Amino acid sequence: MRGRIMDAFTAGLLQRIKTTESDLTRAREDGDDFLADVEQGELDDLHRLAAEHGVEIGATSV
């Protein structure tokens, strides 16, 4: 049971990272510095969370 929970956690975390990276790219392309800062902060938090739980994120960073 625990393995399945971690798999769902990992999948959810990786999806959030992917979405946040996309949002960050869009904010930068639109020249929205405030939103880019917000998205970068979120991405930093997600990367920290992944590291704390041993989730490898590979080459997904912006």
Side-chain angles (χ1 to χ4, degrees):
M1 180 75 165
R2 181 168 169 79
R4 281 189 260 161
I5 292 171
M6 287 305 293
D7 287 346
F9 171 80
T10 299
L13 182 57
L14 293 174
Q15 182 58 49
R16 286 182 61 197
I17 289 170
K18 181 178 177 181
T19 299
T20 303
E21 288 174 338
S22 177
D23 293 345
L24 175 57
T25 298
R26 188 174 310 109
R28 286 177 175 166
E29 288 172 350
D30 291 346
D32 189 335
D33 294 336
F34 176 75
L35 183 56
D37 286 345
V38 170
E39 296 297 345
Q40 184 63 61
E42 176 72 7
L43 188 58
D44 292 344
D45 288 343
L46 291 169
H47 281 209
R48 190 171 18 263
L49 185 62
E52 288 173 0
H53 291 277
V55 175
E56 291 187 30
I57 55 174
T60 61
S61 62
V62 173

